Amino acid sequence: MSCYAIDGVIPVVSLQAYVHPTAVLIGDVVIEAGVYIGPFATLRADFGGIRIQKNANVQDSCTIHGFPDSVTLVEEYGHIGHGAILHGCIIRKNVLVGMNSVILDEAEIGENTIIGANSTVKAKARIPENSLALGSPAKVIRSLEAKEISWKTKGTEQYIQLSERCLSSMYEIEPLSEDSVDRLTYKEFKAIHVLKENI
């Protein structure tokens, strides 16, 4: 990761979190255990704070920032999809923010809510818990069913496992020049992993 102090304020990253080497952290960023921060994510806490709580994930190319004196918060099991922008907002526990969505200043997304892809949540908006909201500006469409919340939770668990996999097995390497029967595929990796679990 590219990590920068500003005005003497240094980011904090748990040893049990994974932050991709291309991600950028600046200033008052705190990343807790089990968190996954994807490639090209930028967490820039030069005006206020950024807090990413346990087992949350911030995926590829996300941007997190805020106005002066704000704290942008992603609570436990938050799931921030590819390319999303969070600016001075609060994302409560077990929320999914869809790909390329924008959550603006002082907005608060209630627990177990899903914000659909390409949505914009206006500044100071309150989206209630257990809701599906989408559009620009985002509007609550309906309440979520238990099976939808369970589906979201399982998706976040996969990112918790991905953080563990990255910490234990990911490293930079030169690519092979051609494919071969000896190269392990992801499908083969999964089959081996399932076999080991059942022994």
Side-chain angles (χ1 to χ4, degrees), residues 111-114 129-133 142-149 152:
E111 188 172 330
N112 297 322
T113 285
I114 294 176
E129 62 184 22
N130 304 312
S131 297
L132 172 64
R142 61 177 172 80
S143 295
L144 288 171
E145 298 175 15
K147 66 181 179 180
E148 293 170 312
I149 295 171
K152 183 271 164 200

Side-chain angles (χ1 to χ4, degrees), residues 67-116:
F67 282 138
D69 303 319
S70 67
V71 175
T72 305
L73 172 64
V74 177
E75 290 189 344
E76 294 182 28
Y77 302 100
H79 191 102
I80 312 304
H82 312 291
I85 298 172
L86 307 183
H87 204 275
C89 56
I90 296 174
I91 308 297
R92 293 294 181 199
K93 185 176 179 180
N94 204 42
V95 164
L96 186 155
V97 175
M99 295 181 281
N100 292 316
S101 290
V102 178
I103 316 296
L104 292 171
D105 298 275
E106 298 181 44
E108 183 172 339
I109 312 301
E111 188 172 330
N112 297 322
T113 285
I114 294 176
I115 304 297

Side-chain angles (χ1 to χ4, degrees), residues 56-195:
N57 65 78
V58 176
Q59 298 172 18
D60 320 50
S61 301
C62 289
T63 301
I64 303 181
H65 191 240
F67 282 138
D69 303 319
S70 67
V71 175
T72 305
L73 172 64
V74 177
E75 290 189 344
E76 294 182 28
Y77 302 100
H79 191 102
I80 312 304
H82 312 291
I85 298 172
L86 307 183
H87 204 275
C89 56
I90 296 174
I91 308 297
R92 293 294 181 199
K93 185 176 179 180
N94 204 42
V95 164
L96 186 155
V97 175
M99 295 181 281
N100 292 316
S101 290
V102 178
I103 316 296
L104 292 171
D105 298 275
E106 298 181 44
E108 183 172 339
I109 312 301
E111 188 172 330
N112 297 322
T113 285
I114 294 176
I115 304 297
N118 293 307
S119 296
T120 300
V121 176
K122 296 190 300 186
K124 300 185 179 181
R126 296 288 180 270
I127 305 293
E129 62 184 22
N130 304 312
S131 297
L132 172 64
L134 46 96
S136 187
K139 294 185 173 138
V140 175
I141 302 302
R142 61 177 172 80
S143 295
L144 288 171
E145 298 175 15
K147 66 181 179 180
E148 293 170 312
I149 295 171
S150 176
W151 167 83
K152 183 271 164 200
T153 301
K154 286 178 185 174
T156 303
E157 286 169 358
Q158 290 177 323
Y159 268 90
I160 296 166
Q161 293 165 8
L162 178 60
S163 181
E164 294 166 357
R165 287 171 52 210
C166 289
L167 286 169
S168 66
S169 73
M170 191 159 107
Y171 57 95
E172 190 169 6
I173 192 169
E174 289 295 319
L176 301 171
S177 58
E178 57 185 45
D179 204 355
S180 73
V181 293
D182 297 326
R183 187 182 71 86
L184 183 68
T185 65
Y186 179 74
K187 186 176 181 179
E188 291 165 340
F189 159 76
K190 285 292 287 182
I192 293 166
H193 184 70
V194 168
L195 184 64

Side-chain angles (χ1 to χ4, degrees), residues 1-49:
M1 81 192 92
S2 296
C3 195
Y4 300 90
I6 184 168
D7 300 324
V9 181
I10 302 171
V12 176
V13 179
S14 168
L15 293 176
Q16 286 79 49
Y18 176 78
V19 180
H20 191 273
T22 62
V24 177
L25 310 181
I26 300 172
D28 190 15
V29 178
V30 178
I31 294 175
E32 297 184 3
V35 167
Y36 172 88
I37 306 292
F40 302 107
T42 300
L43 287 72
R44 182 162 65 89
D46 45 13
F47 290 142

